[in-house]
Amino acid sequence: LRQTPGPHNALGLVKFIFPNPSHVYLHDTPSKTLFQRSRRDFSHGCIRVEDPVALAHFVLGEAWGADRIRAAMQRGRDNQRVNLKTPIPVLLYYTTAVVEEDGELYFFDDIYGHDERLAKLL
């Protein structure tokens, strides 16, 4: 089954696909209120983008202005694909512990269970 494109689609109006072994991608969302929550792990590993127009503008450059991007998202044909002439490297970084510049250590829930698998390997 595949949900049709549109304003109620769980992926929003745009998704940013990039090659990766986990098949993760970035996407818009119709549920903008989710960005107000401190914990936002509602999807199955894909990443919601709070401002997809700004990301698209950054990725596509000046050839695509914000108005053209919005028009393509709102009124563009379904499944319009835009390939980049020059690839942009994307780095996804999953961690459950972070040390800030001031030396403060923070721990986060391991929502995907990677720490347990890593501990077994070690």
Side-chain angles (χ1 to χ4, degrees), residues 12-33:
L13 297 175
V14 64
K15 68 179 176 178
F16 301 87
I17 301 172
F18 51 94
N20 66 87
S22 300
H23 305 287
V24 171
Y25 49 85
L26 302 143
H27 66 86
D28 182 24
T29 180
S31 305
K32 302 291 187 192
T33 58

Side-chain angles (χ1 to χ4, degrees), residues 17-67:
I17 301 172
F18 51 94
N20 66 87
S22 300
H23 305 287
V24 171
Y25 49 85
L26 302 143
H27 66 86
D28 182 24
T29 180
S31 305
K32 302 291 187 192
T33 58
L34 295 177
F35 290 107
Q36 297 171 4
R37 297 185 182 185
S38 60
R39 183 159 176 174
R40 302 192 312 241
D41 54 316
F42 306 108
S43 67
H44 300 286
C46 291
I47 303 163
R48 285 182 175 85
V49 175
E50 188 169 6
D51 190 347
V53 173
L55 178 60
H57 189 249
F58 172 78
V59 169
L60 296 171
E62 293 304 317
W64 283 73
D67 290 338

Side-chain angles (χ1 to χ4, degrees), residues 8 20 47 68 80 88 106 109 114:
H8 302 292
N20 66 87
I47 303 163
R68 181 178 176 194
Q80 180 177 356
I88 297 173
Y106 295 93
D109 292 338
H114 294 320

